Every structure is written in C-alpha cells, then in structure tokens.
Amino acid sequence: MLKRNSNITFYVLVGYIFISFAWWVLLLIRINNQSFEEKRDLLRLSFAQKYPDEIFESSAEVRALESERHRKVYMIAGEGTVFLVILIVMTFMMSRSLRREVNLLQQQKNFLLSITHELRSPIASSKIAMQTLLKHRALDQNKFEGLLLNSISDMDRLTMLVENLLLAAKIEDHTFRIGYGACNMSDMVEHVVKKIKDTSGAERKFQLNLSKDVMVLGDRSGLTSVITNLVENAVKYSADGAIVNVTLNEEKDKVVLRIADNGPGIPDHEKKKIFQKFYRIGEEETRRTKGTGLGLYIVEKILTLHMGRVSVKNNVPLGSVFEVELPCMK
Ligand code: ADP
C-alpha cells in the first residue's frame, strides 16, 4: 500500500514535469516563429518603399532573418535535449532511490513485526510451561520432561535469534573478525544436525551423506551459524515428515555442502533477493513461518569472508537445494 501510493505520487509528478517541459519547448518555438514573422513584415514595409517586391525574398536582410530563426530553433532544440537528458537521468536516479527507501521501510516494518512475534511466542510458551510445573508438582515423568524440553527448545530459539542479531550487527558495522582455525566440517555438520533433530521432534527425518574429516580453515562459530541457519530453514520450510538431505564432499579443490529439502521451493525471481537483509518471501501479516529474514544474509556474508559462496537451486521434484562452497584446507 505504502509502495503503491508513493509510486503513484512520484509518477504523477514526473508526468507533470515532462508535459510542462514539452509545452514550454513548443511555446518557445512558436514565439520564435511569431517574432520572425513580425520582423519580416516590418522589413517588407520598409523595403517596399525603395525596391520592387520580387527581390525582397532573396535580399540579404531576409536571409539574415531566416538564419537567425534557424539558429534559435537549434538553440532551443539543443538546450531542450540537454534538459531532457538531465530530467531522464534524475527521474531514473530518484525512482531508484525511492524504490530502495520504500523497500527498506517495508523491510524494517516486517522486521519489527517478525521480531516481536519471535520474542513473544517462546517467552509466552515457557511461562506457561513454568506455571504448569509450579501448579502440578506431581506431574508424571513424561509430561514433566516434555514441558522442560519444550522450554529448552524455546530458549534455544531465543539464543539463536539473539546470536543472529548480534552477528548481523557486527557484520553491518564491519566489526566481525573471523578467527582462522582448522575446522572439521564433517563433525560440525553432524553436531548441528543432531542438535536440530533433538529439538525439532521425532517427525523430522534427516539423511546424511558426509565424507569423513572434511577440513576447512575458518571461523568455527561463524561456520556453525552458516550450517545451523541452512539446516533450520530446510526444516522450517518443509512439511512434517519430509526428509532433509545433507551431503558434504570434497570436489576438486572445494568443500561442497548441500542441504536439500522438499518444501515449497523458491521462485526464480526471489533466488537473489532472499540473501538480502530482512528479506522474507511474501507478506508478513499473512505468513505462518517464523523468522526475521537475517539468516541467509548472515550465511552469505560469513561465506564471503571465508572466500566461499552460497547458491540456491531447485530440488527435484520439489523444494530447494542450498549449496555452500568453501576452499579446501591445504
Ligand atoms: P527467515 O527464515 O528468518 O525468514 P532467512 O534469511 O533464513 O530468514 O530466509 C529468507 C527467506 O527465504 C525466508 O523468509 C523464506 O521465505 C526463504 N527461504 C529460506 N530458506 C528456504 C527454504 N529452504 N525453502 C523455502 N524458502 C526458503
């Protein structure tokens, strides 16, 4: 709505400026022609007293008037073209910055909505779990453990949220320093998947195909955050019971991690945008999945700092495959 209103106002204004500009150019040309005709009539009057009418048209005075008229037309056309080019360039730049501004406002609004939701729901559900435990002290062992496990998973989600926020802030103001150490990616992927499996319930199925002791040189916590964000997304955006495939291999001189899911997939025109900060597909008000739009932004930035990259492709028959490439540790 905000975007549509600003666009309409902007394009109405731009249209008005272009129409007035064209009108002024036509008016100047008309005034120039009129002044030429008037000068010619005056000249004809003074000419008629001295010479015959036939030589008037070919006289030097009339030719001088004609060439003055042409010079002015060229001047109007030349200056008009310069103004038109400036106007077009300015319109293009303004429309681009307006689009960016409106997108940023929309993303900030989405971020506030999503973060409020992200904070409120785990806090509320943990509070309910604590109140239940307090009220029913003699709860049977299974229910007791279930409530505690739910609270732990809520706390994990909050921790992950806070970590992502801190990481994004550090990346943004260039204070994130990567520590370089030998990282065993095979162990790290296995560990992250186990942790997510433990907290995401029995209906989550993972298929791991990890080569042993795949090593990269990098920042352990940064790379853990990359793996966690990608595996969490695969779980979050696919239905209960769907299988998430995780493979890790060394291919030529690269370490390649692939995380494939059978979720809704990502349309081609969104494939680049999802790596922007706060970007989430769809409208915040109608979305059912939780998130802040920071995960993939962090993933891409951390991988770039490691001279690596991330891309997304379509999975067959449905879903998406996120592919991470990192330089092998020599
Ligand atoms: P978040 O998950 O917190 O919204 P991300 O930056 O991790 O933020 O992802 C950005 C958007 O990309 C998500 O909102 C979602 O629309 C889309 N997305 C990410 N991963 C997947 C996936 N595996 N399947 C489908 N859509 C995805």
Side-chain angles (χ1 to χ4, degrees):
M1 188 66 182
L2 173 72
K3 200 171 179 164
R4 222 185 52 208
N5 283 349
S6 327
N7 276 348
I8 291 174
T9 317
F10 178 73
Y11 287 112
V12 165
L13 272 175
V14 167
Y16 174 76
I17 291 172
F18 273 94
I19 290 171
S20 340
F21 174 71
W23 187 79
W24 275 105
V25 169
L26 288 177
L27 195 71
L28 277 177
I29 290 177
R30 200 183 304 157
I31 289 172
N32 185 38
N33 284 345
Q34 260 172 12
S35 120
F36 168 76
E37 294 298 340
E38 280 164 9
K39 281 184 188 163
R40 214 167 93 116
D41 287 348
L42 274 176
L43 200 64
R44 192 193 292 276
L45 276 178
S46 65
F47 231 83
Q49 293 158 5
K50 298 184 219 156
Y51 307 105
D53 214 24
E54 302 81 65
I55 61 162
F56 173 70
E57 290 299 335
S58 55
S59 66
E61 286 86 343
V62 172
R63 281 210 308 277
L65 264 185
E66 283 275 6
S67 77
E68 189 193 325
R69 176 169 80 143
H70 285 136
R71 224 180 29 249
K72 282 197 176 150
V73 170
Y74 289 139
M75 194 188 82
I76 295 170
E79 286 182 1
T81 312
V82 171
F83 274 123
L84 193 66
V85 171
I86 294 175
L87 216 60
I88 290 173
V89 172
M90 296 290 283
T91 307
F92 172 74
M93 283 165 63
M94 279 172 69
S95 99
R96 201 175 53 176
S97 67
L98 179 78
R99 237 179 303 132
R100 281 194 188 147
E101 191 71 17
V102 171
N103 279 346
L104 198 70
L105 277 177
Q106 187 69 43
Q107 283 169 1
Q108 278 172 352
K109 191 180 133 209
N110 284 353
F111 176 68
L112 275 181
L113 276 173
S114 62
I115 200 123
T116 315
H117 187 73
E118 284 287 287
L119 287 172
R120 204 169 40 192
S121 55
I123 292 173
S125 87
S126 288
K127 188 177 168 191
I128 291 172
M130 308 271 174
Q131 283 169 336
T132 315
L133 288 176
L134 201 66
K135 233 193 223 163
H136 310 281
R137 284 167 197 249
L139 217 56
D140 83 69
Q141 190 68 14
N142 280 349
K143 277 193 180 156
F144 182 81
E145 274 178 16
L147 283 173
L148 283 182
L149 283 176
N150 275 349
S151 293
I152 291 173
S153 118
D154 283 335
M155 294 304 137
D156 280 345
R157 256 182 50 210
L158 279 179
T159 311
M160 165 104 177
L161 175 70
V162 173
E163 272 169 11
N164 271 349
L165 286 172
L166 281 173
L167 215 51
K170 280 186 185 170
I171 289 170
E172 188 78 345
D173 62 15
H174 306 285
T175 53
F176 177 73
R177 298 271 169 269
I178 57 170
Y180 283 103
C183 299
N184 187 325
M185 283 288 278
S186 317
D187 289 351
M188 282 159 66
V189 173
E190 209 173 321
H191 180 252
V192 168
V193 171
K194 185 179 176 313
K195 202 168 165 209
I196 293 176
K197 203 169 168 180
D198 288 347
T199 49
S200 60
E203 49 310 330
R204 291 296 167 188
K205 295 190 179 78
F206 291 88
Q207 221 168 49
L208 299 194
N209 193 345
L210 314 176
S211 298
K212 273 229 154 289
D213 297 329
V214 174
M215 303 296 293
V216 298
L217 190 65
D219 185 282
R220 176 172 289 275
S221 78
L223 292 175
T224 305
S225 170
V226 167
I227 306 165
T228 310
N229 273 304
L230 292 177
V231 178
E232 288 229 317
N233 276 356
V235 170
K236 186 161 70 173
Y237 295 105
S238 52
D240 282 355
I243 296 172
V244 173
N245 267 288
V246 185
T247 59
L248 178 72
N249 293 305
E250 277 184 27
E251 294 176 13
K252 293 186 187 151
D253 53 349
K254 291 202 172 88
V255 167
V256 181
L257 170 70
R258 289 191 187 89
I259 294 153
D261 63 64
N262 295 302
I266 295 161
D268 285 344
H269 68 279
E270 303 275 15
K271 283 194 169 84
K272 273 216 167 85
K273 294 187 191 162
I274 54 171
F275 296 99
Q276 291 169 10
K277 196 165 65 163
F278 302 144
Y279 190 83
R280 306 189 73 207
I281 300 176
E283 288 292 323
E284 198 58 41
E285 287 86 350
T286 54
R287 201 192 331 270
R288 272 189 277 137
T289 50
K290 294 161 186 155
T292 54
L294 280 176
L296 292 179
Y297 166 77
I298 290 171
V299 166
E300 195 192 37
K301 294 287 176 207
I302 289 181
L303 288 171
T304 308
L305 288 171
H306 284 83
M307 306 294 168
R309 60 183 207 97
V310 59
S311 58
V312 60
K313 298 188 178 86
N314 294 334
N315 197 7
V316 182
L318 79 161
S320 26
V321 184
F322 281 83
E323 191 175 282
V324 168
E325 283 182 10
L326 281 162
C328 274
M329 194 174 127
K330 304 271 160 33

Coordinates of all heavy atoms in Angstrom, one line a residue, residues 114 118 161 164 229-238 259-267 270 273-282 284 287 289-299 312 319-322, ligand 1:
S114 N 8.1 -9.3 12.8 CA 8.5 -10.6 12.9 C 9.3 -10.8 14.3 O 9.2 -11.8 15.0 CB 9.4 -11.1 11.8 OG 10.5 -10.3 11.6
E118 N 8.7 -13.3 17.2 CA 9.7 -14.2 17.6 C 10.1 -14.2 19.0 O 10.4 -15.2 19.6 CB 11.0 -13.9 16.8 CG 11.0 -14.3 15.4 CD 11.1 -15.8 15.2 OE1 12.2 -16.3 15.4 OE2 10.1 -16.5 14.9
L161 N 18.2 -16.5 17.9 CA 17.7 -15.2 17.4 C 18.7 -14.1 17.9 O 19.1 -13.3 17.1 CB 16.3 -14.9 18.0 CG 15.7 -13.6 17.7 CD1 15.4 -13.5 16.2 CD2 14.5 -13.4 18.5
N164 N 22.0 -14.3 16.0 CA 21.8 -13.8 14.6 C 21.8 -12.3 14.6 O 22.4 -11.7 13.8 CB 20.6 -14.4 14.0 CG 20.9 -15.7 13.3 OD1 22.0 -16.1 13.1 ND2 19.8 -16.3 12.8
N229 N 21.8 -22.1 10.3 CA 20.8 -21.4 9.6 C 20.2 -22.2 8.4 O 19.0 -22.2 8.2 CB 21.3 -20.0 9.1 CG 21.2 -19.0 10.1 OD1 20.2 -18.7 10.7 ND2 22.4 -18.4 10.5
L230 N 21.1 -22.8 7.6 CA 20.6 -23.6 6.4 C 19.8 -24.8 6.8 O 18.7 -25.1 6.2 CB 21.8 -23.9 5.5 CG 22.5 -22.7 4.9 CD1 23.7 -23.2 4.1 CD2 21.5 -22.0 4.0
V231 N 20.3 -25.5 7.8 CA 19.5 -26.7 8.2 C 18.2 -26.4 8.9 O 17.2 -27.0 8.6 CB 20.4 -27.6 9.1 CG1 19.6 -28.9 9.6 CG2 21.7 -28.1 8.4
E232 N 18.2 -25.3 9.7 CA 17.0 -24.9 10.3 C 15.9 -24.4 9.3 O 14.8 -24.7 9.4 CB 17.2 -23.7 11.2 CG 18.0 -24.1 12.5 CD 17.3 -23.6 13.8 OE1 17.0 -22.4 13.7 OE2 17.2 -24.4 14.7
N233 N 16.4 -23.7 8.2 CA 15.5 -23.3 7.2 C 14.9 -24.5 6.5 O 13.7 -24.6 6.2 CB 16.2 -22.4 6.1 CG 16.3 -21.0 6.6 OD1 15.7 -20.6 7.6 ND2 17.0 -20.2 5.8
A234 N 15.7 -25.5 6.2 CA 15.2 -26.7 5.5 C 14.1 -27.4 6.3 O 13.1 -27.8 5.7 CB 16.4 -27.7 5.2
V235 N 14.3 -27.4 7.6 CA 13.3 -28.0 8.5 C 12.1 -27.1 8.5 O 10.9 -27.6 8.4 CB 13.9 -28.2 9.9 CG1 12.8 -28.6 10.9 CG2 15.0 -29.2 9.9
K236 N 12.3 -25.8 8.7 CA 11.2 -24.9 8.9 C 10.3 -24.8 7.7 O 9.1 -24.7 7.8 CB 11.8 -23.5 9.2 CG 10.9 -22.4 9.6 CD 11.5 -21.3 10.3 CE 12.4 -20.5 9.4 NZ 13.0 -19.3 10.0
Y237 N 10.9 -24.8 6.5 CA 10.1 -24.6 5.3 C 9.7 -25.9 4.6 O 9.2 -25.9 3.5 CB 10.9 -23.7 4.3 CG 11.1 -22.3 4.9 CD1 12.3 -21.9 5.3 CD2 10.0 -21.5 5.0 CE1 12.5 -20.7 5.9 CE2 10.2 -20.2 5.6 CZ 11.4 -19.8 6.0 OH 11.6 -18.6 6.6
S238 N 9.8 -27.0 5.3 CA 9.2 -28.2 4.7 C 8.2 -28.9 5.7 O 8.3 -28.6 6.9 CB 10.3 -29.2 4.3 OG 11.2 -29.5 5.3
I259 N 22.3 -28.8 1.1 CA 21.2 -29.1 2.0 C 20.0 -29.0 1.2 O 19.6 -28.0 0.7 CB 21.2 -28.1 3.2 CG1 22.4 -28.3 4.0 CG2 20.0 -28.2 4.1 CD1 22.9 -27.1 4.7
A260 N 19.3 -30.2 1.0 CA 18.2 -30.2 0.1 C 16.9 -30.5 0.9 O 16.9 -31.4 1.8 CB 18.4 -31.3 -0.9
D261 N 15.8 -29.8 0.6 CA 14.5 -30.1 1.2 C 13.4 -30.3 0.2 O 13.6 -30.1 -1.0 CB 14.2 -29.0 2.2 CG 14.0 -27.7 1.5 OD1 13.0 -27.6 0.7 OD2 14.8 -26.7 1.7
N262 N 12.3 -30.8 0.7 CA 11.1 -30.9 -0.2 C 10.0 -29.9 0.1 O 8.8 -30.2 0.0 CB 10.6 -32.4 -0.1 CG 11.6 -33.4 -0.6 OD1 12.0 -33.3 -1.7 ND2 12.0 -34.3 0.3
G263 N 10.4 -28.7 0.5 CA 9.5 -27.7 0.8 C 8.9 -27.0 -0.4 O 8.9 -27.6 -1.5
P264 N 8.4 -25.8 -0.2 CA 7.7 -25.1 -1.4 C 8.7 -24.7 -2.5 O 8.2 -24.3 -3.5 CB 7.1 -23.9 -0.7 CG 7.9 -23.7 0.5 CD 8.4 -25.0 1.0
G265 N 10.0 -24.7 -2.2 CA 10.9 -24.2 -3.2 C 11.0 -22.7 -3.2 O 10.2 -22.0 -2.5
I266 N 11.9 -22.1 -4.0 CA 12.0 -20.7 -4.1 C 11.9 -20.2 -5.5 O 12.6 -20.7 -6.4 CB 13.4 -20.2 -3.5 CG1 13.4 -20.6 -2.0 CG2 13.6 -18.7 -3.7 CD1 14.7 -20.6 -1.4
P267 N 10.9 -19.4 -5.9 CA 10.7 -18.9 -7.2 C 12.0 -18.3 -7.8 O 12.7 -17.6 -7.0 CB 9.6 -17.9 -7.2 CG 9.0 -18.1 -5.9 CD 9.9 -18.7 -4.9
E270 N 13.0 -14.8 -6.8 CA 13.3 -14.5 -5.4 C 14.7 -15.0 -5.0 O 15.2 -14.8 -3.9 CB 12.3 -15.2 -4.5 CG 10.8 -14.8 -4.8 CD 10.4 -13.5 -4.1 OE1 11.3 -12.8 -3.6 OE2 9.2 -13.3 -4.0
K273 N 17.1 -12.3 -4.0 CA 16.6 -11.4 -3.0 C 16.6 -12.0 -1.6 O 16.8 -11.3 -0.6 CB 15.1 -11.0 -3.3 CG 15.0 -10.2 -4.6 CD 13.5 -9.8 -4.6 CE 13.2 -9.1 -6.0 NZ 11.8 -9.1 -6.2
I274 N 16.5 -13.4 -1.5 CA 16.4 -14.0 -0.2 C 17.7 -13.8 0.6 O 17.7 -14.0 1.8 CB 16.0 -15.5 -0.2 CG1 17.0 -16.2 -1.2 CG2 14.6 -15.7 -0.6 CD1 16.8 -17.7 -1.1
F275 N 18.8 -13.4 0.0 CA 20.0 -13.2 0.7 C 20.2 -11.7 1.2 O 21.1 -11.4 1.8 CB 21.3 -13.5 -0.2 CG 21.3 -15.0 -0.5 CD1 20.8 -15.5 -1.7 CD2 21.7 -15.9 0.4 CE1 20.8 -16.8 -2.0 CE2 21.7 -17.3 0.1 CZ 21.3 -17.7 -1.1
Q276 N 19.2 -10.9 0.9 CA 19.2 -9.5 1.4 C 18.8 -9.5 2.8 O 18.0 -10.3 3.3 CB 18.2 -8.6 0.6 CG 18.6 -8.4 -0.8 CD 17.5 -7.7 -1.6 OE1 16.5 -7.3 -1.1 NE2 17.7 -7.6 -2.9
K277 N 19.3 -8.5 3.5 CA 18.9 -8.3 5.0 C 17.4 -8.1 5.1 O 16.8 -7.3 4.4 CB 19.7 -7.1 5.5 CG 19.7 -7.2 7.1 CD 20.8 -6.2 7.6 CE 20.4 -4.8 7.2 NZ 21.1 -3.8 8.0
F278 N 16.8 -8.8 6.1 CA 15.4 -8.7 6.5 C 14.4 -9.2 5.4 O 13.2 -9.1 5.5 CB 15.0 -7.3 6.8 CG 15.7 -6.6 7.9 CD1 16.0 -5.3 7.8 CD2 16.2 -7.3 9.0 CE1 16.8 -4.7 8.8 CE2 16.9 -6.7 10.0 CZ 17.2 -5.4 9.9
Y279 N 15.0 -9.7 4.2 CA 14.1 -10.1 3.2 C 13.4 -11.5 3.5 O 14.1 -12.4 3.8 CB 14.8 -10.2 1.8 CG 13.8 -10.3 0.7 CD1 13.2 -9.2 0.2 CD2 13.5 -11.6 0.2 CE1 12.2 -9.4 -0.8 CE2 12.5 -11.7 -0.8 CZ 11.9 -10.6 -1.3 OH 11.0 -10.7 -2.3
R280 N 12.1 -11.5 3.4 CA 11.4 -12.8 3.5 C 10.3 -12.8 2.4 O 9.7 -11.8 2.1 CB 10.6 -12.8 4.9 CG 11.6 -12.5 6.1 CD 10.9 -12.8 7.4 NE 10.7 -14.2 7.6 CZ 9.8 -14.8 8.3 NH1 8.9 -14.0 8.8 NH2 9.7 -16.1 8.4
I281 N 10.1 -14.0 1.9 CA 9.2 -14.1 0.7 C 7.7 -13.9 1.3 O 7.4 -14.5 2.3 CB 9.3 -15.5 0.0 CG1 10.7 -15.6 -0.5 CG2 8.3 -15.6 -1.1 CD1 11.1 -16.9 -1.2
G282 N 6.9 -13.1 0.6 CA 5.5 -13.0 1.0 C 5.3 -11.8 1.9 O 6.2 -11.1 2.3
E284 N 4.3 -10.2 5.6 CA 4.5 -10.5 7.0 C 3.2 -10.8 7.7 O 3.1 -11.8 8.5 CB 5.2 -9.4 7.7 CG 5.9 -9.7 9.0 CD 6.9 -10.9 8.8 OE1 7.7 -10.9 7.9 OE2 6.9 -11.7 9.7
R287 N 2.0 -14.4 6.8 CA 2.9 -15.5 6.8 C 2.8 -16.4 8.0 O 2.4 -15.9 9.1 CB 4.3 -14.9 6.8 CG 5.4 -15.9 6.3 CD 6.8 -15.4 6.6 NE 6.9 -14.0 6.6 CZ 7.2 -13.2 5.6 NH1 7.3 -13.8 4.4 NH2 7.3 -11.9 5.7
T289 N 5.2 -19.0 8.8 CA 6.5 -19.4 9.4 C 7.2 -18.3 10.2 O 7.0 -17.1 9.8 CB 7.5 -19.8 8.3 OG1 7.5 -18.8 7.3 CG2 7.1 -21.1 7.7
K290 N 7.9 -18.7 11.2 CA 8.6 -17.7 12.0 C 10.0 -17.3 11.4 O 10.6 -18.1 10.7 CB 8.8 -18.2 13.4 CG 7.5 -18.4 14.1 CD 7.7 -19.3 15.3 CE 6.3 -19.6 15.9 NZ 6.3 -20.9 16.6
G291 N 10.5 -16.2 11.7 CA 11.8 -15.8 11.2 C 12.0 -14.3 11.2 O 11.0 -13.6 11.4
T292 N 13.2 -13.9 10.9 CA 13.5 -12.4 10.8 C 14.0 -12.0 9.5 O 14.2 -10.8 9.3 CB 14.5 -12.1 11.9 OG1 15.7 -12.9 11.7 CG2 14.0 -12.3 13.3
G293 N 14.4 -12.9 8.6 CA 15.0 -12.5 7.4 C 16.5 -12.2 7.5 O 17.0 -11.6 6.6
L294 N 17.1 -12.6 8.6 CA 18.5 -12.4 8.8 C 19.4 -13.6 8.5 O 20.6 -13.4 8.2 CB 18.8 -12.0 10.3 CG 18.4 -10.5 10.6 CD1 18.6 -10.3 12.1 CD2 19.3 -9.5 9.9
G295 N 18.8 -14.8 8.6 CA 19.6 -16.0 8.4 C 20.4 -16.1 7.2 O 21.7 -16.2 7.2
L296 N 19.8 -15.9 6.0 CA 20.6 -16.1 4.8 C 21.5 -14.9 4.5 O 22.5 -15.1 3.8 CB 19.6 -16.3 3.6 CG 18.8 -17.6 3.6 CD1 17.9 -17.7 2.4 CD2 19.8 -18.8 3.6
Y297 N 21.1 -13.8 5.0 CA 22.0 -12.6 4.9 C 23.4 -12.9 5.6 O 24.4 -12.7 5.1 CB 21.3 -11.4 5.5 CG 22.2 -10.2 5.8 CD1 22.6 -9.3 4.8 CD2 22.7 -9.9 7.1 CE1 23.4 -8.3 5.0 CE2 23.5 -8.8 7.3 CZ 23.9 -8.0 6.3 OH 24.7 -6.9 6.5
I298 N 23.2 -13.5 6.8 CA 24.4 -13.8 7.6 C 25.2 -14.9 6.9 O 26.4 -14.8 6.8 CB 24.0 -14.3 9.0 CG1 23.5 -13.1 9.8 CG2 25.1 -15.0 9.8 CD1 22.8 -13.4 11.1
V299 N 24.5 -15.9 6.4 CA 25.1 -17.0 5.7 C 26.0 -16.5 4.6 O 27.2 -16.8 4.5 CB 24.1 -18.0 5.2 CG1 24.7 -19.0 4.2 CG2 23.4 -18.8 6.3
V312 N 21.4 -21.1 -4.5 CA 20.2 -22.0 -4.3 C 19.7 -22.4 -5.6 O 19.7 -21.7 -6.6 CB 19.1 -21.2 -3.5 CG1 18.7 -19.9 -4.1 CG2 17.9 -22.1 -3.2
G319 N 11.0 -28.5 -3.9 CA 11.9 -28.0 -2.8 C 13.1 -27.2 -3.3 O 13.2 -26.9 -4.5
S320 N 14.0 -27.0 -2.4 CA 15.2 -26.3 -2.8 C 16.5 -26.9 -2.3 O 16.5 -27.7 -1.3 CB 15.2 -24.8 -2.4 OG 14.4 -24.7 -1.2
V321 N 17.6 -26.7 -3.0 CA 18.9 -27.2 -2.6 C 19.8 -26.0 -2.4 O 20.0 -25.2 -3.3 CB 19.6 -28.0 -3.7 CG1 20.9 -28.6 -3.1 CG2 18.6 -29.1 -4.1
F322 N 20.3 -25.8 -1.1 CA 21.2 -24.7 -0.9 C 22.6 -25.3 -0.9 O 22.9 -26.4 -0.3 CB 21.0 -24.1 0.5 CG 19.9 -23.1 0.5 CD1 18.6 -23.6 0.6 CD2 20.1 -21.8 0.4 CE1 17.5 -22.7 0.6 CE2 19.0 -20.9 0.3 CZ 17.7 -21.3 0.4
Ligands
ADP1 P1 13.9 -16.3 7.9 O1 13.9 -17.8 7.7 O2 14.2 -15.9 9.3 O3 12.7 -15.7 7.3 P2 16.2 -16.3 6.1 O4 17.1 -15.2 5.7 O5 16.8 -17.5 6.6 O6 15.1 -15.7 7.0 O7 15.4 -16.7 4.7 C1 14.8 -15.6 3.9 C2 13.6 -16.1 3.2 O8 14.0 -17.1 2.2 C3 12.6 -16.9 4.1 O9 11.7 -16.0 4.7 C4 11.9 -17.8 3.2 O10 10.9 -17.1 2.5 C5 13.0 -18.1 2.1 N1 13.6 -19.4 2.4 C6 14.8 -19.7 3.1 N2 15.1 -21.0 3.1 C7 14.1 -21.6 2.4 C8 13.8 -23.0 2.1 N3 14.7 -24.0 2.5 N4 12.7 -23.2 1.4 C9 11.9 -22.3 1.0 N5 12.1 -21.0 1.3 C10 13.2 -20.6 2.0

